[in-house]
Amino acid sequence: MKNYPFKALIILLLTFSIISCSKSKNQKEKTNYVQQHYNKTETTITMRDGVKLFTVIYAPKDTSKKYPIIMQRTPYSCRPYGKTKYRRSIGPNSVLMKEGNIIVYQDVRGRWMSEGTYVNMRPYIPNKKDSTDIDESSDTYDTIDWLVKNVPNNNGNVGTWGISYPGFYATCSTIDAHPALKASSPQACIGDFFFDDFHHNGAYLLSYFRATSLFGTPKDKPTDTSWYKIPTLNTKDQYQFFLDAGPLSNLDSYFQYEKLDKPSLSNKNKVGDFFWEELKEHPNYDEDWQKKAIIPHLKNIKSHVATMVVGGEFDAEDLYGALETYKTIEKNNPKNYNTLVFGPWSHGQWARSSIRNSIGNFYFGDSISINFQKNIEAKFFNHFLKEDSSKNSGLPEAYVYDTGKKEWNSYKTWPPKNSIRTTYYLGDNQELTTTKPKEKGIQFISNIKKPVPYSEDIKTVFTPRKYMTDDQRFAARRSDVLVFETPILENDLKLVGSILAKLKVATTGTDADWIVKVIDVFPADAKDQKGMQDHLKMSNYYLMVRSEVMRGKFRNSFSNPEAFIPNKKTDVDFTLQDINHTFKKGHKLQIQVQSTWFPLIDLNPQTFVPNIFKAKKEDFKTQTHTVFTSSKIEFNILP
C-alpha cells in the first residue's frame, strides 16, 4: 500500500505523456506547410481591355533570395478564397513547393471571382487589331507582365503548367509568349473539343453528360461559390438511365435553369445551358469548333519557351490533345526545346502522391508518379527557371512507358523512326493475320435496344476512367462484337505510335458507328494482382490497350457528313491514338470490332439524320452490319 501513490503517479505521467504525444501528432497532421512557409496575396490584375482577373499569389516567406514564378490559369477556381485561407499544397508538385517558388493561380476570364464573359475554349485571335481583341494568350501575357513588375523577389523567369482545361491555358501561354515565359508544361491539355472530352471523331460522349453544366451554366458576376449544379440521375445504373431516356432531346430539361447565379434543374423552358446548346446546334465540325481548336496555332512558338507536354497512356479525356500538342509543336518548331512524357496514367494521375500506380484493375508499379514529379517535372522547371536554361536539360526527348513490359523507354524521337509499318487483316474464323485472306463478309446484328456496354460495372460516374484498362471478356462473349486474334505469340511484339484502322464495311441502314479495340490477351497462367475486383482474374485477362470510335457519317469529312448507301461496301478509316506496348511472348494480340459502346458514346440511330441531338424515337432502328475480311489494322512494330 505504501507504493500505491508512486505507482499512481507513474501511471498519471505515462497517461499524460501519451495524450501529449497524441496531441502533438494531431497538431503536426493539421499543420499546413503552405501557411507555414508562404505568404498569400489576393489581388486583381487588369487586362488590356480593362477586365480584372482574380489572382492568388503564394510567395515564400524566406525573402533572402529571388524565386521564379510558376503559374496556373484555371476555370476550376483559385480556392480557398480569403487571405487567411491557404491551400494545403501548391504548385505542380511537393518538390517544387518545398524548394521554394512563387506559385500563382488565376481564375480565367468570366469564371469564379474574375470579371468578364466566359467563352468555352476561347478562340485564339492571330492578328489582334486593338485592345478589345483579347484571348487566353493575351490574358496570359498581360498577367505575366504585371507579375514580373509587381511581385517582390521574383527572378524574372516564369513557368506555366496545368492539367486538362488548365493544360489548354498553359498551351495558350506559349503563343505570342511574354519574354519572361521560359518554361511551359501543358498536361493532358485539351487540343480540340471535337476530338477531346465531349467528342471522339464526331461521336458525342454521352458519359460526359453530367459535366456539361460545369462549363455551360450562365453566370453574370464574380462569385466565390459554385453557381452550377451537376445533374442528379437518381440511379446507380447509368446504362439503364440513358437507355430509358431515349433520344438526346429528352435530356434538354436537365439544362434549363431558373435564374442566373442560382440555378436549379427545372422542366420549365427558362435560362438554357449555353454549352449544351452549343453541342446541340453544332453536331458537325463546323466553324464553331474549328475556331476553338488550339492545335492549328502551335506555330512560331518563341524559342525562349521550353515545353514539356505530359499525357497519360490511359487518359479517357484528353489523350488526343496531349499527343497532338507535342507533335504539332515538334513539327512546326523543330529548333525549340519540346519534349514528351507519356506514362501509365489515367487523367492527371501523375500529379498524385499515392505509392501504388494502377488504373482500374490493372497494376503498373509503385512510385511511378512520385518519381516523375521528382526526377522529371521538378528537373524541367528548375533547369529553365533557376539554372542556365540551355537545351541540355538532361531529360530525354520522349520518355514513354512500355505498358506491356512495365518499364520506361527513352526515345530520341516520338514515334521512333526505326519502327516498321505492318498490316494485320481481320480474317475468317476470328483470325488476325498478316496474310491477306479471301474476301468474305462477317455479319452481326446491332440491336438498338441492347447496345454493347462500355463496362460491365453497374455504376454511375461523373466522367469514366477505369474502363480504359478493363477486362474485355464480357464484350468478346457477345454476338454483336467481332473478335480477331493472333495465335499465341512465340516472341515479344512491341507496337509503338499511332494505329490506323482501315475497315471495309456495309450496313442495312444509312449510318453506323464503328469501334475498334486493341487488346492484350494474357495467358491462362497469369498471376493475379492485388486490388482487382473480386470476380476478375488475370488468367486470360483481356487488357484493353487502345480503343476508338468513328461515327460513320463522318468517314469522308467531319464537316460534311454523308449517309451510307444500304448494303454497299464502304471504306471507313480512322486513327487510334499512340501506344507503347509490348505484347509478351505467350500473350495474344486481339482486335474487337463493334458498333455500339454505351453509354460511353450516345446511340447512333443507325439511320442517317442531320443532327442526332434532334433525332426522334422512330429514327432509331436495329440494323445488320457487315465487316469484310479485307479490313485491316496497320501497326508500327519496333524491331
Side-chain angles (χ1 to χ4, degrees), residues 99 166 216 219 230 244 275 355 357 367 401 454 490 504 598:
E99 286 180 349
K219 181 178 79 71
I230 305 301
D244 292 342
F275 187 39
I355 300 296
N357 200 133
S367 302
Y401 196 82
Y454 78 92
E490 297 181 357
K504 310 285 186 180
F598 192 76

Side-chain angles (χ1 to χ4, degrees), residues 304-321:
H304 63 75
V305 182
T307 49
M308 181 181 73
V309 181
V310 182
E313 289 163 299
F314 298 96
D315 188 339
E317 299 178 34
D318 298 306
L319 185 61
Y320 171 92

Side-chain angles (χ1 to χ4, degrees), residues 244-268:
D244 292 342
L248 292 175
S249 58
N250 291 341
L251 300 175
D252 286 351
S253 61
Y254 284 87
F255 301 113
Q256 294 165 352
Y257 311 128
E258 290 181 359
K259 64 177 182 177
L260 297 180
D261 292 296
K262 192 178 180 182
S264 64
L265 299 179
S266 169
N267 290 322
K268 299 176 182 179

Side-chain angles (χ1 to χ4, degrees), residues 62-283:
D62 178 3
T63 58
S64 63
K65 55 183 176 180
K66 293 184 177 182
Y67 304 90
I69 297 169
I70 304 179
M71 177 175 68
Q72 179 185 103
R73 303 184 67 245
T74 177
Y76 299 132
S77 174
C78 293
R79 288 180 296 188
Y81 297 106
K83 294 181 180 180
T84 61
K85 295 181 179 179
Y86 283 67
R87 290 187 176 215
R88 297 201 67 82
S89 64
I90 55 174
N93 59 58
S94 62
V95 176
L96 291 168
M97 175 182 72
K98 292 179 179 179
E99 286 180 349
N101 289 280
I102 298 169
I103 306 298
V104 176
Y105 294 91
Q106 183 179 77
D107 290 336
V108 297
R109 185 179 291 252
R111 297 289 286 186
W112 295 89
M113 288 293 287
S114 285
E115 297 177 351
T117 301
Y118 173 67
V119 176
N120 218 355
M121 282 195 75
R122 186 184 303 274
Y124 168 69
I125 302 174
N127 301 305
K128 299 175 179 65
K129 297 177 182 178
D130 54 43
S131 61
T132 63
D133 283 346
I134 56 88
D135 52 28
E136 303 305 341
S137 176
S138 67
D139 280 355
T140 308
Y141 187 103
D142 294 348
T143 299
I144 292 176
D145 196 61
W146 187 95
L147 291 172
V148 295
K149 292 176 180 177
N150 292 278
V151 176
N153 296 316
N154 83 81
N155 70 359
N157 294 331
V158 178
T160 58
W161 101 100
I163 298 172
S164 193
Y165 217 142
F168 163 76
Y169 296 113
T171 303
C172 291
S173 74
T174 67
I175 305 172
D176 301 332
H178 191 284
L181 182 65
K182 301 296 170 50
S184 180
S185 184
Q187 304 181 1
C189 41
I190 305 171
D192 190 319
F193 252 167
F194 207 71
F195 304 100
D196 280 319
D197 289 304
F198 291 87
H199 295 99
H200 274 214
N201 290 331
Y204 168 60
L205 265 73
L206 184 58
S207 50
Y208 284 60
F209 163 80
R210 298 179 68 208
T212 306
S213 59
L214 183 63
F215 304 107
T217 305
K219 181 178 79 71
D220 57 3
K221 62 182 179 181
T223 179
D224 60 0
T225 56
S226 302
W227 66 97
Y228 52 81
K229 184 176 181 181
I230 305 301
T232 301
L233 305 187
N234 294 317
T235 180
K236 294 182 179 180
D237 188 346
Q238 190 168 261
Y239 179 99
Q240 195 62 47
F241 171 85
F242 286 115
L243 197 62
D244 292 342
L248 292 175
S249 58
N250 291 341
L251 300 175
D252 286 351
S253 61
Y254 284 87
F255 301 113
Q256 294 165 352
Y257 311 128
E258 290 181 359
K259 64 177 182 177
L260 297 180
D261 292 296
K262 192 178 180 182
S264 64
L265 299 179
S266 169
N267 290 322
K268 299 176 182 179
N269 188 15
K270 294 186 178 180
V271 178
D273 185 293
F274 59 81
F275 187 39
W276 179 249
E277 290 300 316
E278 189 172 34
L279 290 166
K280 285 172 53 181
E281 298 303 324
H282 300 276

Side-chain angles (χ1 to χ4, degrees), residues 426 439-444 482 484 501-509 511-516 550-553 555 564-574 593-595 624-632:
L426 307 185
E439 179 81 331
K440 179 182 179 181
I442 306 172
Q443 293 187 334
F444 65 96
L482 303 184
F484 308 89
K502 304 183 78 171
L503 304 183
K504 310 285 186 180
V505 300
T507 175
T508 55
D511 195 10
D513 291 337
W514 303 95
I515 295 101
V516 169
M550 168 58 78
R551 181 135 288 172
K553 66 180 181 180
R555 64 195 180 278
F564 283 80
I565 298 174
N567 301 311
K568 181 181 179 180
K569 184 178 175 182
T570 306
D571 292 347
V572 177
D573 299 349
F574 58 101
V593 180
Q594 59 199 64
S595 63
T624 298
H625 302 326
T626 303
V627 175
F628 293 93
T629 53
S630 52
S631 299
K632 54 189 178 182

